[in-house]
């Protein structure tokens, strides 16, 4: 719950609009991406993580989410940062 509240406050302070371009650095499971696209459905997201496992989980997390439609999924780019 604390993570969600602090993430929502971060999104609010960032003054994102519906078409913002956002980098979700250390995206992990995609929790922050999820909140961003719920508030700003046309935002373009670049998700980056060092962990192959987290990237795999991130993709799996959104593939299971029926609320994330294909149009939104097209706005999310995922990279694995080089170590």
């Amino acid at each position: 719950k604390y993570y969600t509240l602090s993430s929502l406050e971060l999104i609010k302070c960032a003054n994102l609009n519906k078409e913002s371009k956002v980098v979700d650095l250390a995206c992990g499971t995609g929790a922050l991406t999820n909140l961003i696209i719920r508030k700003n459905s046309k935002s373009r997201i670049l998700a980056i993580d060092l962990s192959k496992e987290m990237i795999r989980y991130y993709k799996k997390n959104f593939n299971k989410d029926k609320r994330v439609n294909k149009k939104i999924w097209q706005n999310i780019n995922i990279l694995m940062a080089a170590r």
Side-chain angles (χ1 to χ4, degrees):
K1 185 174 180 172
Y2 174 77
Y3 179 82
T4 300
L5 293 175
S6 61
S7 295
L8 289 171
E9 187 64 27
L10 174 68
I11 292 167
K12 180 180 165 185
C13 290
N15 287 327
L16 300 178
N17 62 48
K18 291 183 179 180
E19 296 182 12
S20 292
K21 295 177 183 175
V22 178
V23 175
D24 186 354
L25 188 58
C27 63
T29 63
L32 182 59
T33 295
N34 189 30
L35 292 172
I36 291 169
I37 62 175
R38 296 293 180 259
K39 295 281 184 185
N40 305 290
S41 62
K42 293 183 180 178
S43 290
R44 298 190 67 78
I45 309 291
L46 173 59
I48 302 172
D49 205 292
L50 288 173
S51 168
K52 286 181 185 178
E53 290 178 37
M54 283 292 103
I55 294 295
R56 192 171 27 244
Y57 189 79
Y58 182 99
K59 290 178 180 180
K60 182 179 175 184
N61 197 20
F62 282 100
N63 283 335
K64 292 190 307 185
D65 190 341
K66 303 288 186 208
R67 296 171 297 171
V68 179
N69 64 39
K70 290 180 182 178
K71 187 174 183 180
I72 291 174
W73 187 248
Q74 291 171 357
N75 287 341
I76 300 174
N77 294 307
I78 304 169
L79 295 177
M80 191 183 86
R83 288 188 178 192

